[in-house]
Amino acid sequence: MARTNEIDEGFYSRQLYVLGHEAMHRMGRAEVLIAGMKGLGVEIAKNVILSGVKSVTVQDEGQAEWSDLSSQFFLKEADLGQNRATGSLPQLSALNPHVLVSAHTGPLNEDLLQKYQVVVLTDSSLDDQKRFGDFCHTRGIKFIVTDTKGLCGQLFCDFGEGFEVLDQDGEMPASLMIDRITKDNPGVVICADDQKHGLFDGSKVIFSEVQGMTELNSIGPVEIKVCGQHSFSICDTSSFSEYERGGVVTEVKQPLVLDFKPLSEAVNDHQLLIMNDYGKIARHNTLHLAFQALHGFVKKEQRLPQSWSQSDADLLLNMVKELNLVAKLEEVDEAALRSFCFTARGDLAPMNAFFGGLAAQEVIKACSGKFTPLQQWLYFDALECLPEDGGCLKESLFSPKGSRYDAQIVVFGSEFQQKLLRQKYFLVGAGAIGCELLKNFALIGLGAGDEGHITVTDMDFIERSNLNRQFLFRSKDIGKPKSEVAAKAVAEMNPQIKITAHQNRLDPDSEGLYDYSFFMGLDGVAAALDNVEARVYLDKRCVQHQKPMLEGGTLGSKGHTLVVVPHLTESYGPAKSSSGNAIPLCTLKNFPHRIEHTLQWARDQFEGLFKQTPENVNLFL
């Protein structure tokens, strides 16, 4: 199956909407190596296998340990002492029948790397990153490095020189109605004033259906220069016929060619750090040096820093100051650096899920040429999770306990772990985001204690198209309730989890079941819903019962998350109208000139005929 050129549209249907057939065909020819099968490596492997490349090889020389179970969801207690790559192989292979998955238990070397188009390193030394990075750069192999240490993580991409991006953003090309075109040098195109053109200097466009100045209809793509939100200049139109009326201007997507530096050079170039939080510029510059210093620390001491050890933090701080003699940062964030050192032994499932998603997205970009890749460093931290009086905590609380949560206890302590185990949570939705949340809940131990519990509800049944992204489901589960299958799958990941599955829709009809006493028994609610109405309703119930709600959603390659804490943050609802893009009624009735207008006109007609009239009759009756 993996060798045919046909795309399985039933399996990949949702992904095809985002990537398109061409990009999927290119991915179907790509062979990927992922090194390191701890929590971060298995996240990347899971995502890349589901995305539909030709083959994935997972490499790891190490044996599974207790600390791996805090984030490695395809290893069980029975796998302790076994090789991580071979232990994960059966579960990874079952994710996608179209992808050939194999394990390599030997060391990494150049002979192995040259067989692949994309190489991803996790949990690797800086020496290996530089050595293999230089090798991949000269051979034209796409090279990605990612790592998480406690509450901090990094991601690096090198796609070589002359890497062609075929579609920079995946958006539909802009299509605009023309109001008028001047006969000038250069000619100026003025678009209909109800729509901003959204084009940039250098964008290219083609014309069609122009009346009068028909010469524009037959010339190829024209480069534009933006004059205003509704106008732009084009070529010399002074010798063309006089513009009369009509016409459509359509954007022509242009490929973008990018040059990347190898890691050995890029490591010293702070201009390549992509900022994702402008309140943390100093922190992320510091983290760039901190990760380098940590590699030096491990090389010298043959271990990671001890949890919450002041002496190790002092040593790492001195190493960063030494590196800064060359880097010359104006400000080193010492507090963040100490927190990074205190928690570097941590291996946290949510951090691995975040960086695993980002790294897998970069693999998709490398294979498909779709979307603009990262150039070239990205840092993210969640140090806000630590208590503000972190320095006063006892070191004994953070020592390993010989449990599956050890890599989490070294960051947050055993008391916090006990609190997680006691949590009672309600998850609404067991689709793509619901599966990911349940996996993370099981790994962190949410509701896995004697007093803890998770209730999950989803009224849907598993379809074949779900298997491409709802990773807890397999072909044998098609037709079964999502919530039941998902609950059973995460109970295999962590047998201690207490979970109950329901198949109820969350709406006013289910308030008899999800009543005051149900909500008052909860510590929090997580929403993994696919429509605004259900989110607004759930948000209202959470505010009513003073319960926090964690909410997230995706649309193609975009996503959002929202934390709602009653009386502290803004709540989700009530439903907000998107008035910014509302169509004026006069346009709709008298001059519908865009495809959206005709659709909205038809929708209004339909509602008038088949919804409003019967509703009025029912009200009268």
Side-chain angles (χ1 to χ4, degrees):
M1 279 171 101
R3 285 169 178 76
T4 60
N5 290 323
E6 289 294 311
I7 293 172
D8 184 343
E9 297 197 4
F11 187 81
Y12 292 118
S13 61
R14 304 299 169 86
Q15 189 171 302
L16 276 166
Y17 295 142
V18 182
L19 292 177
H21 280 79
E22 269 185 64
M24 284 291 296
H25 277 299
R26 283 192 291 273
M27 283 174 57
R29 296 191 289 270
E31 297 180 273
V32 182
L33 172 68
I34 300 167
M37 272 298 108
K38 289 188 173 184
L40 179 56
V42 80
E43 275 286 353
I44 300 166
K46 175 255 293 177
N47 294 334
V48 171
I49 291 164
L50 288 172
S51 73
V53 294
K54 182 182 178 184
S55 73
V56 172
T57 300
V58 294
Q59 181 274 345
D60 199 312
E61 293 179 81
Q63 275 71 47
E65 303 164 1
W66 269 116
S67 58
D68 295 331
L69 299 185
S70 66
S71 66
Q72 221 289 17
F73 47 86
F74 282 159
L75 291 177
K76 300 184 176 68
E77 289 183 24
D79 297 312
L80 295 175
Q82 306 297 313
N83 179 275
R84 281 188 285 256
T86 50
S88 313
L89 188 63
Q91 299 264 39
L92 289 169
S93 301
L95 288 169
N96 189 341
H98 305 293
V99 178
L100 190 66
V101 185
S102 57
H104 181 82
T105 57
L108 287 179
N109 56 45
E110 285 80 353
D111 289 341
L112 179 69
L113 267 60
Q114 66 185 5
K115 298 175 186 172
Y116 301 93
Q117 285 80 55
V118 184
V119 170
V120 185
L121 298 190
T122 70
D123 195 33
S124 53
S125 70
L126 186 58
D127 292 342
D128 278 355
Q129 290 171 14
K130 288 178 177 177
R131 174 187 150 201
F132 295 131
D134 286 345
F135 175 81
C136 289
H137 189 86
T138 55
R139 298 294 194 288
I141 299 165
K142 319 295 182 292
F143 183 68
I144 298 168
V145 172
T146 184
D147 207 357
T148 63
K149 290 285 182 272
L151 289 160
C152 303
Q154 69 174 171
L155 176 63
F156 170 80
C157 292
D158 168 18
F159 293 176
E161 284 158 37
F163 178 77
E164 189 176 43
V165 182
L166 300 165
D167 184 348
Q168 295 175 47
D169 56 14
E171 299 293 330
M172 288 292 288
S175 185
L176 309 146
M177 299 296 295
I178 297 167
D179 187 51
R180 61 188 186 278
I181 304 171
T182 65
K183 196 173 171 183
D184 211 342
N185 184 16
V188 176
V189 178
I190 296 97
C191 300
D193 62 4
D194 65 336
Q195 191 181 15
K196 295 173 184 174
H197 57 64
L199 300 169
F200 303 95
D201 286 349
S203 295
K204 292 196 176 180
V205 297
I206 53 169
F207 293 85
S208 57
E209 300 173 39
V210 176
Q211 294 182 35
M213 200 180 279
T214 53
E215 294 91 341
L216 284 174
N217 295 332
S218 55
I219 62 173
V222 184
E223 193 167 311
I224 67 129
K225 192 166 186 199
V226 173
C227 302
Q229 291 184 336
H230 303 285
S231 60
F232 54 85
S233 62
I234 50 170
C235 55
D236 182 359
T237 58
S238 55
S239 61
F240 291 178
S241 312
E242 202 70 44
Y243 173 78
E244 290 174 17
R245 62 194 173 91
V248 178
V249 61
T250 307
E251 179 190 12
V252 178
K253 293 237 172 177
Q254 296 297 305
L256 175 71
V257 177
L258 300 173
D259 289 324
F260 291 77
K261 289 185 177 181
L263 187 139
S264 54
E265 284 178 38
V267 76
N268 299 318
D269 190 345
H270 278 258
Q271 299 302 310
L272 295 176
L273 264 69
I274 302 298
M275 292 299 159
N276 55 79
D277 185 338
Y278 290 103
K280 292 183 172 181
I281 291 174
R283 181 177 293 184
H284 290 174
N285 277 314
T286 302
L287 283 177
H288 187 62
L289 297 183
F291 270 90
Q292 292 173 56
L294 187 67
H295 286 295
F297 183 101
V298 172
K299 196 173 179 180
K300 184 182 171 191
E301 304 288 330
Q302 294 296 302
R303 63 172 176 84
L304 283 164
Q306 295 294 342
S307 292
W308 299 90
S309 161
Q310 293 291 352
S311 58
D312 281 355
D314 291 338
L315 182 56
L316 194 74
L317 180 61
N318 290 334
M319 294 170 93
V320 167
K321 284 178 176 172
E322 213 170 291
L323 286 170
N324 199 35
L325 295 173
V326 178
K328 293 184 170 56
L329 295 182
E330 289 176 25
E331 184 189 346
V332 172
D333 188 337
E334 289 196 18
L337 187 59
R338 286 186 178 278
S339 295
F340 170 73
C341 186
F342 291 155
T343 59
R345 280 183 177 261
D347 190 17
L348 304 176
M351 289 297 293
N352 288 332
F354 177 71
F355 274 93
L358 287 180
Q361 192 72 24
E362 295 303 318
V363 172
I364 290 172
K365 293 174 189 178
C367 299
S368 68
K370 186 126 181 181
F371 307 116
T372 307
L374 171 70
Q375 283 192 282
Q376 292 184 258
W377 290 101
L378 182 135
Y379 288 87
F380 175 80
D381 73 89
L383 293 173
E384 299 82 1
C385 295
L386 295 173
E388 288 177 12
D389 60 347
C392 314
L393 298 165
K394 298 179 208 156
E395 276 189 45
S396 60
L397 290 173
F398 300 89
S399 56
K401 305 285 184 281
S403 85
R404 64 183 302 121
Y405 310 115
D406 276 356
Q408 193 163 275
I409 289 169
V410 295
V411 175
F412 296 115
S414 51
E415 285 180 8
F416 181 82
Q417 186 60 50
Q418 289 305 313
K419 200 171 179 181
L420 276 177
L421 295 172
R422 290 194 296 270
Q423 294 290 295
K424 294 180 180 69
Y425 251 75
F426 183 33
L427 172 63
V428 187
I433 294 174
C435 283
E436 292 290 329
L437 283 174
L438 277 175
K439 173 256 294 174
N440 289 341
F441 288 171
L443 292 169
I444 67 174
L446 189 84
D450 293 337
E451 299 166 46
H453 193 266
I454 293 172
T455 304
V456 56
T457 187
D458 193 311
M459 57 178 289
D460 281 349
F461 294 86
I462 296 162
E463 299 170 15
R464 189 155 182 270
S465 65
N466 301 149
L467 305 181
N468 165 241
R469 66 203 182 287
Q470 299 175 19
F471 86 106
L472 297 179
F473 310 144
R474 304 287 176 267
S475 298
K476 63 180 171 36
D477 301 320
I478 292 170
K480 295 178 185 173
K482 286 184 177 181
S483 56
E484 278 185 15
V485 176
K488 193 176 165 193
V490 294
E492 285 182 22
M493 289 177 184
N494 182 353
Q496 296 161 7
I497 199 167
K498 312 282 189 303
I499 187 164
T500 304
H502 294 172
Q503 285 92 52
N504 302 313
R505 181 198 289 273
L506 198 82
D507 60 12
D509 293 342
S510 62
E511 284 181 18
L513 179 63
Y514 306 123
D515 55 8
Y516 174 82
S517 59
F518 175 82
F519 271 92
M520 294 315 287
L522 297 172
D523 291 296
V525 175
L529 292 155
D530 61 359
N531 66 88
V532 173
E533 291 75 21
R535 287 183 174 110
V536 171
Y537 173 75
L538 183 58
D539 171 72
K540 186 179 94 174
R541 300 282 285 156
C542 290
V543 172
Q544 197 179 345
H545 296 99
Q546 311 280 296
K547 298 298 172 188
M549 181 179 86
L550 314 175
E551 195 273 321
T554 60
L555 181 68
S557 60
K558 304 181 185 78
H560 81 273
T561 58
L562 183 71
V563 178
V564 177
V565 182
H567 306 304
L568 186 66
T569 66
E570 184 184 9
S571 72
Y572 188 91
K576 300 171 181 70
S577 64
S578 55
S579 54
N581 297 322
I583 301 163
L585 198 62
C586 54
T587 305
L588 215 56
K589 297 292 180 197
N590 304 318
F591 186 51
H593 61 274
R594 298 212 317 265
I595 191 74
E596 298 97 298
H597 298 163
T598 59
L599 290 169
Q600 187 60 45
W601 183 87
R603 191 173 153 182
D604 285 0
Q605 290 286 314
F606 183 91
E607 288 208 349
L609 290 167
F610 299 109
K611 184 168 179 271
Q612 285 159 8
T613 305
E615 276 181 359
N616 290 339
V617 171
N618 287 336
L619 280 170
F620 173 75
L621 291 171

